[in-house]
Amino acid sequence: MTKIDTSNPESVLPTPSHTVGPFYGYALPFRGGEEIAPLAHPGTITVHGYVLDGEGRPLPDAFVELWGPAPDGTVPQVDGSIRRDPATGGYLGRNGVEFTGWGRIQTDANGHWYARTLRPGARGHSAPYLSVCVFARGLLMHLFTRIYLPGDETVLAADPLLTQVGARRDTLIAGDEGNGTYRFDIRLQGEGETVFLEFQ
Amino acid sequence: MPLTQVDIDLEIAAEHAAYEKRTAGGAPVEHHPRRGYAPYRSSALRHPRQPLVAIDTGKDPELVELHSPAFGERDITETDSDLTRQHTGEPIGERITVSGRLLDRAGRPIRGQLIEIWQANSAGRYAHQREQHDAPLDPHFTGVGRTLTDTEGRYHFTTIQPGPYPWRNHVNAWRPAHIHFSVFGTAFTQRLVTQMYFPNDPLFPYDPILQSVTDDAARQRLVATYDHGLSVPEFSLGYHWDIVLDGPAATWIEEGR
Ligand SMILES: [Fe+3]
């Protein structure tokens, strides 16, 4: 039954996840999905990488969602990531000045994605990071991971998650390519498999 | 040897039996599919082999994942929730109304959040460039919609009944008719992408994607209920489908919602 009886907590059970399938590409990606930072903001960083399968082949049919705090560590609460144009029924893009903190980026034919966003600030006990959610054809349920930025080893060494995962921490820390550009590959399976997370 | 439906049926039965055995032995109910599910061939190289690393959200209420991106009126247009009105002409097919509530695990409504849908047309064809099924495209139907939930967590779409379609998992593989849903909660941890099915579809037992949800009760929760009260006289048939998001969320008091 799919009418949930909220008066009975035992009947409130989760709706199962399903794969996003192959044909979301005309539906979910939107104009400006990768341009999360306000236009020409001096705190802008570029993060990019490949999504790879268990044989190291890039996925041309995956997408990632990035979600991160503002540089001062606050959580963006502004909407407008996917502004729609009532005149044409198409997309307007972001408004150029507000920071929503969220973006959605489809991998290209080579399995590569990129985003420009603001350098995340620290929150709570964690070193600064961007939260990532990965979707793909063949992936029956999305996967969460995090992009930590390299630089301050003291801060990274104190991060609870990076400490917890030990030797696998390198899969969570982006590579510094200079000029505010960071490389972060997501390996779904096999050698160097990215650490994926389960929130409890 | 090309893979047949008989081969897939055997694998589905084996996965189901293995799940029954696990739960009989005291293992927890699995509300979601396992990411590695052999009958769905595309999952083979696309699921992690290492166990997921657990994060106890109770230890740090500041985690950004306990908050959700915000969506608002700017993110939708008037016709986004009516997929039959997005072109100059009427799409071919049976008009349907799909409505329900978006809830968290405590049964509380999730208000003002984004629900996106996409689907094949009535002939079972997606308006996607790489779609190779040679059923006709409908110039009056794109099959993409979005809406915000109201103050009771309710959503509402007008669309057309999607057709079933073939795919290449194995010989003679057909997907039961479905609508894809993408949903946000009050926390990023609650993010959900799934598919809604229609009651009594004869293709259910043959579909490795639906059957990847090995728990019988959980699988039922993906099937909408026909609701005569939602049917619009001389216009559309009504289907009711409530969505319950999994995953921990920030407390409401904190969020001020
Ligand atoms: Fe589909």
Side-chain angles (χ1 to χ4, degrees):
Chain A
M1 283 302 289
T2 42
K3 278 188 183 172
I4 304 290
D5 176 10
T6 53
S7 66
N8 174 13
E10 277 170 23
S11 77
V12 185
L13 293 169
T15 305
S17 170
H18 254 14
T19 176
V20 74
F23 297 133
Y24 59 84
Y26 76 103
L28 295 183
F30 56 90
R31 179 178 158 191
E34 69 282 4
E35 298 290 344
I36 307 170
L39 280 176
H41 192 292
T44 301
I45 57 170
T46 301
V47 285
H48 75 109
Y50 291 84
V51 181
L52 304 160
D53 73 9
E55 291 177 345
R57 282 187 308 236
L59 272 62
D61 46 14
F63 69 91
V64 297
E65 289 183 351
L66 299 187
W67 169 232
D72 65 1
T74 56
V75 176
Q77 293 185 321
V78 61
D79 59 45
S81 296
I82 54 172
R83 286 194 316 150
R84 303 277 292 154
D85 184 350
T88 65
Y91 293 110
L92 270 179
R94 299 169 199 264
N95 78 354
V97 291
E98 287 173 302
F99 180 64
T100 70
W102 177 80
R104 175 185 287 159
I105 312 103
Q106 192 174 11
T107 55
D108 65 19
N110 299 318
H112 182 257
W113 61 275
Y114 80 92
R116 278 191 265 273
T117 189
L118 298 182
R119 186 180 293 274
R123 291 179 57 78
H125 310 310
S126 304
Y129 65 86
L130 297 168
S131 179
V132 185
C133 195
V134 187
F135 301 85
R137 177 180 69 83
L139 185 55
L140 282 159
M141 185 173 185
H142 56 265
L143 286 165
F144 285 109
T145 185
R146 288 178 179 173
I147 303 175
Y148 286 89
L149 300 178
D152 192 336
E153 187 48 44
T154 320
V155 170
L156 294 174
D159 182 87
L161 174 63
L162 294 178
T163 308
Q164 187 184 343
V165 299
R168 297 182 67 205
R169 78 198 282 267
D170 290 352
T171 71
L172 296 174
I173 304 173
D176 191 345
E177 298 186 323
N179 298 317
T181 299
Y182 298 94
R183 169 78 178 263
F184 189 81
D185 291 340
I186 298 166
R187 291 186 170 77
L188 296 180
Q189 189 185 87
E191 178 116 19
E193 188 177 293
T194 301
V195 168
F196 295 106
L197 309 173
E198 181 171 48
F199 295 95
Q200 295 175 342
Chain B
M1 275 282 282
L3 198 63
T4 66
Q5 183 71 52
V6 175
D7 299 323
I8 292 295
D9 289 348
L10 288 170
E11 292 186 23
I12 288 172
E15 293 280 353
H16 192 260
Y19 172 67
E20 300 271 282
K21 201 173 160 194
R22 285 201 294 278
T23 46
V29 170
E30 296 176 20
H31 296 303
H32 298 287
R34 293 194 161 198
R35 293 183 180 83
Y37 181 73
Y40 176 34
R41 286 296 188 263
S42 305
S43 75
L45 292 170
R46 296 183 170 200
H47 70 277
R49 296 207 189 275
Q50 303 270 356
L52 301 191
V53 173
I55 295 200
D56 179 357
T57 56
K59 283 191 179 158
D60 188 356
E62 298 293 317
L63 298 176
V64 77
E65 291 97 341
L66 289 176
H67 299 265
S68 177
F71 299 94
E73 294 295 337
R74 299 190 277 182
D75 296 314
I76 51 171
T77 65
E78 200 198 330
T79 54
D80 277 349
S81 64
D82 186 343
L83 288 73
T84 69
R85 288 204 298 136
Q86 295 172 357
H87 297 272
T88 50
E90 282 275 325
I92 303 285
E94 307 156 36
R95 274 185 299 253
I96 57 171
T97 293
V98 180
S99 184
R101 294 177 78 201
L102 180 62
L103 305 164
D104 68 11
R105 280 299 294 273
R108 296 174 299 205
I110 294 171
R111 305 180 169 112
Q113 251 317 356
L114 181 70
I115 298 187
E116 297 162 279
I117 64 169
W118 69 102
Q119 63 167 90
N121 69 21
S122 65
R125 172 96 184 244
Y126 283 91
H128 186 288
Q129 286 289 332
R130 287 178 61 198
E131 157 78 290
Q132 290 176 1
H133 179 33
D134 66 355
L137 278 167
D138 183 342
H140 299 308
F141 190 75
T142 306
V144 178
R146 57 187 82 61
T147 194
L148 298 174
T149 55
D150 70 13
T151 53
E152 293 175 330
R154 221 169 279 284
Y155 71 89
H156 194 99
F157 288 105
T158 303
T159 182
I160 54 122
Q161 169 75 42
Y165 59 84
W167 60 310
R168 293 181 180 167
N169 188 67
H170 54 276
V171 175
N172 211 14
W174 289 83
R175 296 297 328 279
H178 59 273
I179 299 178
H180 295 264
F181 274 69
S182 165
V183 183
F184 288 82
T186 54
F188 202 42
T189 58
Q190 295 173 311
R191 189 80 177 85
L192 178 71
V193 166
T194 189
Q195 302 174 22
M196 185 205 91
Y197 297 85
F198 294 85
N200 307 316
D201 192 317
L203 291 169
F204 285 163
Y206 306 105
D207 179 32
I209 292 187
L210 176 59
Q211 297 299 327
S212 72
V213 181
T214 47
D215 185 78
D216 296 338
R219 208 164 52 249
Q220 282 303 312
R221 293 198 292 278
L222 291 173
V223 184
T225 303
Y226 173 71
D227 184 344
H228 204 63
L230 276 176
S231 295
V232 180
E234 304 188 27
F235 183 77
S236 68
L237 292 181
Y239 291 92
H240 187 109
W241 193 54
D242 288 340
I243 304 166
V244 178
L245 299 184
D246 212 350
T251 67
W252 273 24
I253 297 130
E254 239 172 24
E255 288 285 304
R257 294 189 203 232

